[in-house]
């Protein structure tokens, strides 16, 4: 045994001797160290709760507010949720934000249309009323030429939210116009906001005598400034059955694409100008040429966008 090891044993022996004559406080500290060692080794020692002085501990578990707490009604001028002239009669059924009913009416396009063959007026409006999950929509689109309604489409739809950005729609569509037979359709589809902020409509229709149709529309708003807004727009109409009375062929019948630049005096009122190309395809184009018309035409437009 070398000298260092012998000194170490001597030291431990002295600790043993010291432990025999140690004070109670020193013993308590050593017990605490031993308890920590036991805890570190994964075998916790039982805690003696009886030795604890719970009477000296302050257990602040009551509901009483501190003496210096701010009065929650200090700035309400005496009015609270259940007192005063604005108190609710039944505070047990508070209205959440998605339980209120709202309504809106948008004249998306009310414009003067100029083509090589003449001028006309076109409109595209929609209004709705309902809450965050269910709404009733009224949509109307058409054109007026020489004081007469040409082709018009009116839809009454029930809209139900299926995701935060998409609604399913179900209802009726009525097509009327001067010097043309009317058509009634059962309508169903979706409307919503696609990724990258594209507003999209896709609606299918089932009509009389086995007629079917599909209408697709999408538009996008480019904020050039806080008031100048460029709005590209595209729309396509497809039919599953030829309708000679209306000069409509099977398949892709027509498409319109263009853009409008508007200046928003406010969100409610915005004049605009734009250009749009309207093109007919396939059998539908043949019907138009047979009536000495143009299968495709470019339109210059100027109008107002109004939001109520």
């Amino acid at each position: 045994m070398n000298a260092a090891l012998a000194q170490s044993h001597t030291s431990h022996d002295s600790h043993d001797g010291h432990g025999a004559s140690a004070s109670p406080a020193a013993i308590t500290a050593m017990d605490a160290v031993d308890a920590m060692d036991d805890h570190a080794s994964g075998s916790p020692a039982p805690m003696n709760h009886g030795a604890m002085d719970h009477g000296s501990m302050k257990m602040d578990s009551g509901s009483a507010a501190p003496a210096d707490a701010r009065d929650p009604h200090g700035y309400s001028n005496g009015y609270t949720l259940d007192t005063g002239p604005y108190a609710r009669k039944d505070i047990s059924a508070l209205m959440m934000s998605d339980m209120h009913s709202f309504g809106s009416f948008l004249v998306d396009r009310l414009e003067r249309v100029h083509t090589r063959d003449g001028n006309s007026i076109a409109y595209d409006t929609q209004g709705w009323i309902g809450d965050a999950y269910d709404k009733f929509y009224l949509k109307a689109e058409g054109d007026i030429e020489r004081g007469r309604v040409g082709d018009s489409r009116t839809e009454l739809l029930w809209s139900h939210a299926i995701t935060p950005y998409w609604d399913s729609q179900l209802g009726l569509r009525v097509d009327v116009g001067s010097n043309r037979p009317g058509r009634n359709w059962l309508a169903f589809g979706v409307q919503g906001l696609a990724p990258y902020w594209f507003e999209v409509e896709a609606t299918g229709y089932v009509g009389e005598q086995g007629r079917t149709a599909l209408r697709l529309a999408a538009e996008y708003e480019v904020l050039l400034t806080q008031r100048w807004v460029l709005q590209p727009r595209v729309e396509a109409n497809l039919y599953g059955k030829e309708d000679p009375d209306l000069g409509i062929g099977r398949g892709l019948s027509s498409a319109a694409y263009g853009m409008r630049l508007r200046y928003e005096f406010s969100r409610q009122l915005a004049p605009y100008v734009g250009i749009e190309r309207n093109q007919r395809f396939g059998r539908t184009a043949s019907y138009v040429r047979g009536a000495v018309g143009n299968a495709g035409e470019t339109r210059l437009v100027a109008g107002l966008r109004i939001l109520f």
Side-chain angles (χ1 to χ4, degrees):
M1 180 179 297
N2 56 30
L5 186 57
Q7 184 178 0
S8 175
H9 280 277
T10 304
S11 177
H12 280 290
D13 292 339
S14 63
H15 277 296
D16 294 338
H18 181 74
S21 59
S23 65
I27 293 174
T28 302
M30 294 179 66
D31 291 340
V33 172
D34 292 338
M36 293 176 63
D37 292 339
D38 293 336
H39 181 73
S41 63
S43 57
M47 183 175 292
N48 185 8
H49 291 276
M52 292 184 179
D53 186 8
H54 292 283
S56 62
M57 299 176 66
K58 293 183 179 180
M59 305 297 288
D60 191 13
S61 59
S63 59
D68 57 347
R70 186 180 67 83
D71 182 7
H73 306 302
Y75 298 93
S76 65
N77 199 24
Y79 299 128
T80 64
L81 189 62
D82 54 355
T83 60
Y86 308 109
R88 293 180 55 85
K89 296 181 180 178
D90 183 11
I91 61 174
S92 61
L94 295 177
M95 293 285 287
M96 299 293 105
S97 58
D98 58 353
M99 298 171 64
H100 293 274
S101 295
F102 299 96
S104 177
F105 185 74
L106 171 65
V107 181
D108 194 27
R109 291 183 292 136
L110 180 59
E111 58 193 23
R112 180 80 170 178
V113 181
H114 173 74
T115 65
R116 291 186 302 176
D117 298 330
N119 300 323
S120 62
I121 295 175
Y123 61 90
D124 182 4
T125 68
Q126 63 174 275
W128 61 266
I129 185 170
D131 56 26
Y133 300 100
D134 296 285
K135 301 181 182 69
F136 282 101
Y137 268 85
L138 178 62
K139 300 181 181 179
E141 181 180 4
D143 60 81
I144 301 173
E145 187 174 1
R146 298 175 183 177
R148 294 183 176 182
V149 178
D151 295 327
S152 70
R153 171 179 58 86
T154 305
E155 296 179 83
L156 180 60
L157 304 169
W158 168 59
S159 181
H160 179 71
I162 53 177
T163 70
Y165 294 99
W166 289 93
D167 292 350
S168 63
Q169 296 186 327
L170 176 66
L172 300 174
R173 166 183 165 179
V174 177
D175 295 346
V176 296
S178 59
N179 301 324
R180 54 153 289 178
R183 295 286 184 265
N184 299 319
W185 307 84
L186 174 66
F188 57 93
V190 294
Q191 176 178 337
L193 192 64
Y196 301 101
W197 305 99
F198 286 93
E199 296 187 12
V200 177
E201 291 183 55
T203 311
Y205 304 96
V206 177
E208 301 168 337
Q209 301 177 1
R211 297 187 183 93
T212 57
L214 176 65
R215 175 177 175 270
L216 304 172
E219 63 184 34
Y220 188 77
E221 292 189 346
V222 182
L223 300 179
L224 302 178
T225 68
Q226 292 296 321
R227 295 186 180 274
W228 288 100
V229 180
L230 184 65
Q231 184 183 45
R233 179 177 178 276
V234 60
E235 176 182 339
N237 293 281
L238 300 91
Y239 291 87
K241 185 178 181 180
E242 187 170 337
D243 192 344
D245 294 337
L246 297 180
I248 294 175
R250 182 180 180 181
L252 179 60
S253 172
S254 63
Y257 51 92
M259 60 180 61
R260 290 165 175 79
L261 177 64
R262 70 173 184 262
Y263 180 82
E264 292 187 343
F265 289 107
S266 66
R267 291 288 295 171
Q268 288 73 35
L269 180 63
Y272 64 84
V273 295
I275 185 171
E276 187 176 74
R277 178 70 179 176
N278 190 358
Q279 185 69 45
R280 296 177 177 84
F281 303 94
R283 186 65 174 167
T284 303
S286 300
Y287 280 120
V288 174
R289 295 190 190 97
V292 197
N294 296 317
E297 61 181 8
T298 300
R299 301 174 173 179
L300 301 178
V301 302
L304 284 175
R305 184 179 189 271
I306 306 171
L307 174 65
F308 295 97

